[in-house]
């Protein structure tokens, strides 16, 4: 069975039978095929993250090493209260230039800075998200920029 077939079997089981999906994803990862292994690691991380197995999710996101995995690691670390690690993962997602992960990471960095009271930094991240043209991130960033401008200095 090809590595892609192993991955596809995992996809078929994903959402219905996570245990079976894990098994197929692990086989795809063990195949050594770079693309199938990366995609399987990402999907395995999603399962582990959803099931609350944070350390396992962290491991598989790191193994996937895709921009979306970097963004998800930022979300995971932020949720665990690891602000500095979250910032680092979001920054890596931004640096990737990925059309989906980078703008969302820009927005999340803006949120983190805003919550920390670093409004000038937040504004910079929000402006980058707006400039990305990503529909969701730009819309949300515009709303947060308006809220920032309405606050007393």
């Amino acid at each position: 069975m090809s590595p892609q077939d192993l991955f596809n079997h995992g996809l078929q089981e994903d959402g219905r039978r996570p245990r079976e999906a894990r098994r197929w994803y692990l086989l795809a990862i063990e195949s050594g095929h770079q693309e199938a292994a990366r995609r399987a690691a990402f999907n395995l991380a999603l399962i582990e993250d959803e099931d609350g197995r944070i350390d396992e999710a962290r491991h598989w996101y790191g193994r996937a090493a895709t921009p979306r995995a970097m963004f998800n690691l930022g979300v995971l670390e932020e949720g665990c209260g690891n602000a500095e690690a979250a910032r680092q993962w979001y920054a890596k997602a931004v640096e990737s230039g990925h059309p989906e992960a980078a703008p969302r990471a820009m927005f999340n960095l803006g949120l983190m800075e805003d919550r920390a009271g670093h409004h000038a930094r937040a504004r910079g991240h929000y402006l980058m998200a707006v400039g990305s043209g990503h529909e969701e991130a730009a819309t949300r960033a515009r709303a947060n920029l308006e809220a920032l401008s309405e606050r007393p200095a």
Side-chain angles (χ1 to χ4, degrees):
M1 194 173 291
S2 77
Q4 186 60 48
D5 289 339
L6 297 169
F7 174 76
N8 288 340
H9 278 299
L11 280 179
Q12 289 172 355
E13 299 298 340
D14 210 332
R16 294 181 315 146
R17 298 181 344 177
R19 189 173 178 170
E20 276 299 301
R22 277 187 187 92
R23 185 173 78 79
W24 288 109
Y25 289 146
L26 286 169
L27 289 170
I29 291 165
E30 291 167 3
S31 76
H33 185 273
Q34 188 175 11
E35 187 57 29
R38 183 177 298 132
R39 292 172 62 208
F42 180 79
N43 284 18
L44 185 54
L46 291 173
I47 291 171
E48 302 297 3
D49 198 352
E50 188 174 295
D51 287 348
R53 289 192 279 279
I54 302 303
D55 289 337
E56 291 86 351
R58 189 179 282 129
H59 169 78
W60 293 116
Y61 282 136
R63 179 96 179 257
T66 64
R68 288 177 55 214
M70 293 171 198
F71 172 79
N72 285 14
L73 269 166
V75 172
L76 184 145
E77 295 296 358
E78 188 176 0
C80 289
N82 302 326
E84 194 50 44
R87 278 187 185 88
Q88 289 173 3
W89 285 114
Y90 287 145
K92 287 182 182 200
V94 169
E95 290 168 12
S96 76
H98 187 273
E100 183 70 26
R104 293 175 69 207
M106 290 171 201
F107 176 77
N108 282 17
L109 281 166
L111 280 178
M112 289 184 74
E113 297 299 348
D114 201 356
R115 286 186 203 124
H118 304 132
H119 303 301
R121 282 191 240 165
R123 186 172 283 107
H125 291 299
Y126 291 149
L127 287 170
M128 286 176 30
V130 168
S132 74
H134 183 273
E135 188 176 341
E136 179 191 355
T139 300
R140 293 175 71 195
R142 266 189 219 93
N144 286 23
L145 280 167
E146 286 178 29
L148 271 177
S149 68
E150 293 171 2
R151 291 185 195 152

